[in-house]
Amino acid sequence: MNASSDIRPPFGFEFVARSPTVVHAVVVALGGCLVYLSFLSRKRIASLPSPGDVIIEEQKSEEIPSSLRPELEPLPNFNYATTAPKKIRPYKPKFHLTMGIQSNHPNDLILLDRTYRSRLAYRRHLLQTHPTETYGHLPAASWAVSEFYTYIISQHLPTRFPQHFSKSPSGTLVQNHTTTNTYPIISQSAPNALRALGENLDEDFVFLLPGDDGIWRVSAFVVCFPNGFNLGEKLGWALGDIHSPAVPGLEQKLGKSLERFFTKLQPGVENGVRRVNWGIARSQELFTPDGIHVYEGEEVHEDSAIRAEECCLRVERQTLWKLPGTGAIVFGIKTYMYPLPEIKAEEGEAERLAEAIEGLGDDMGWYKARGVWGKTVLEYLRS
């Protein structure tokens, strides 16, 4: 891209990239310092849990010494176009609502694979056509969104994937070489930052902040691939209000544990954790804000029109970490879709999945709408 040409990325990022003057460079540098200092000096924002089935466990509260913190490893020769999506088969014969997590290395925070280019195109389309459903924020979350954006755009992506993201000579811009779009390292606004995250990454993000009552609440989000929820209608909601009574047993078994975990989670990407969630999708459609789960008062009827060959195992790889400046928690969701014919082609896997579907139990099976697709899918897996 010609350094003297006008750069007008989408969604309001409009500026002219010219050879920077000394004054411009100094102003940008001072601006970056002021934002960073604001993160550190500002009292942690009070006000706002998470969508999806967030199921996590207690983590030791000791903070990792800086000398032992894992560094981000650059992948100078990485090519996402030749990288297959992760194969995750998380189901077990009998479902238990537990707080199952494991630590997550910073290298594994953001994952790219050969679906990256096509998914970015779809995400951009969704951000344009469904803006209120795919991103939003409360005013109190602006600093948290800016902190996360600055880390991801200015540090994580250019460091981890230098072949696909690079900084301009002035260090004030970052270019995505897949889309050729260029972004400032400091966002102009929370909406711009959320849209930029949504159109550059194949992960969805939800920001959580504690209210004055200590309850963690949804404060901002960019979610292009929702699985049965519309966060645009739930900004500011407490975790228990979002999930209960929809997820059977969540509030009774894990409600207090979740709040304790969020509060005790040590800040820093090096202290992040991850878990997985799975279900059966009736098609390969990724944008499903409703019609996925069964809620109280709704009836369940078998859908004879469902074709098992078109159904997918939908797996969410979920990450969770606390920002060091604002204290906000960022909940990341990477969605994988595995068509059932692919599962059936793997030796023994079809029966394992069938047993896991049966092992969901009555309550969780009802919530996941097993009564709609269960008979058709089980017959296909065992045929």
Side-chain angles (χ1 to χ4, degrees):
M1 183 174 291
N2 192 316
S4 64
S5 63
D6 285 358
I7 302 175
R8 292 184 173 88
F11 302 119
F13 287 129
E14 185 170 335
F15 45 85
V16 179
R18 303 187 186 281
S19 299
T21 64
V22 173
V23 173
H24 176 252
V26 170
V27 169
V28 171
L30 287 175
C33 291
L34 287 173
V35 169
Y36 179 70
L37 290 173
S38 296
F39 289 150
L40 298 181
S41 62
R42 190 177 165 88
K43 184 179 181 180
R44 288 188 177 177
I45 300 173
S47 189
L48 309 168
S50 146
D53 297 345
V54 187
I55 302 172
I56 36 195
E57 64 186 2
E58 294 289 337
Q59 185 191 51
K60 293 183 178 180
S61 60
E62 294 85 356
E63 186 173 0
I64 301 174
S66 58
S67 60
L68 299 179
R69 291 175 185 170
E71 293 185 0
L72 204 57
E73 178 187 357
L75 296 176
N77 300 315
F78 176 78
N79 184 0
Y80 67 75
T82 59
T83 302
K86 275 186 172 294
K87 183 185 290 187
I88 305 175
R89 305 291 184 260
Y91 37 79
K92 296 180 180 180
K94 189 170 181 60
F95 176 83
H96 294 283
L97 188 61
T98 62
M99 301 185 296
I101 63 167
Q102 61 185 111
S103 60
N104 190 57
H105 194 283
N107 286 338
D108 299 322
L109 180 66
I110 303 296
L111 302 178
L112 304 182
D113 58 50
R114 63 190 177 208
T115 66
Y116 177 67
R117 182 184 292 271
S118 61
R119 286 201 175 186
L120 284 200
Y122 189 37
R123 293 175 72 88
R124 180 186 295 276
H125 168 75
L126 292 169
L127 288 164
Q128 293 174 335
T129 57
H130 298 274
T132 60
E133 294 171 278
T134 53
Y135 69 95
H137 80 292
L138 297 177
S142 295
W143 282 98
V145 171
S146 181
E147 180 184 8
F148 180 69
Y149 169 92
T150 299
Y151 167 71
I152 291 293
I153 297 297
S154 71
Q155 295 184 46
H156 194 100
L157 295 179
T159 301
R160 180 64 170 160
F161 306 108
Q163 187 172 340
H164 303 294
F165 299 89
S166 64
K167 287 186 178 181
S168 63
S170 65
T172 60
L173 308 173
V174 171
Q175 184 178 48
N176 181 330
H177 295 290
T178 297
T179 65
T180 72
N181 290 331
T182 307
Y183 302 85
I185 62 171
I186 300 175
S187 66
Q188 296 175 338
S189 68
N192 282 351
L194 290 169
R195 288 191 297 259
L197 292 167
E199 66 179 25
N200 280 282
L201 299 172
D202 185 29
E203 274 89 0
D204 292 320
F205 299 103
V206 180
F207 297 77
L208 316 175
L209 285 167
D212 295 334
D213 56 2
I215 302 299
W216 291 81
R217 303 176 185 275
V218 174
S219 59
F221 71 97
V222 54
V223 176
C224 293
F225 301 151
N227 188 29
F229 57 85
N230 178 3
L231 283 186
E233 301 173 347
K234 299 183 178 182
L235 274 172
W237 282 31
L239 178 65
D241 293 338
I242 290 176
H243 290 295
S244 189
V247 181
L250 176 65
E251 186 61 28
Q252 300 90 327
K253 294 182 180 180
L254 300 179
K256 293 182 179 179
S257 296
L258 285 170
E259 294 294 337
R260 285 197 303 269
F261 176 83
F262 292 153
T263 301
K264 293 182 178 180
L265 183 65
Q266 291 296 322
V269 66
E270 68 277 3
N271 294 310
V273 298
R274 72 174 184 263
R275 68 174 299 274
V276 293
N277 184 46
W278 70 274
I280 298 297
R282 292 164 237 178
S283 72
Q284 295 192 43
E285 176 58 56
L286 287 158
F287 179 72
T288 52
D290 51 39
I292 300 301
H293 302 125
V294 179
Y295 296 95
E296 187 175 8
E298 295 181 353
E299 295 184 2
V300 178
H301 300 285
E302 180 184 352
D303 187 350
S304 58
I306 290 177
R307 297 188 59 194
E309 296 86 352
E310 297 175 355
C311 294
C312 295
L313 169 68
R314 179 169 179 148
V315 175
E316 294 178 354
R317 180 184 181 271
Q318 304 169 346
T319 59
L320 199 75
W321 65 289
K322 184 176 287 185
L323 299 175
T326 58
I329 287 176
V330 182
F331 177 54
I333 309 167
K334 168 83 170 179
T335 300
Y336 294 92
M337 301 290 273
Y338 308 103
L340 290 190
E342 178 182 327
I343 301 295
K344 196 171 181 180
E346 300 173 13
E347 185 176 357
E349 209 60 43
E351 179 58 29
R352 285 189 62 238
L353 178 56
E355 291 176 357
I357 291 171
E358 293 175 329
L360 287 172
D362 293 338
D363 290 342
M364 189 58 66
W366 174 80
Y367 167 67
K368 289 182 177 287
R370 184 178 57 190
V372 177
W373 48 262
K375 181 180 178 181
T376 300
V377 167
L378 288 172
E379 288 178 353
Y380 172 77
L381 291 174
R382 285 172 168 156
S383 63

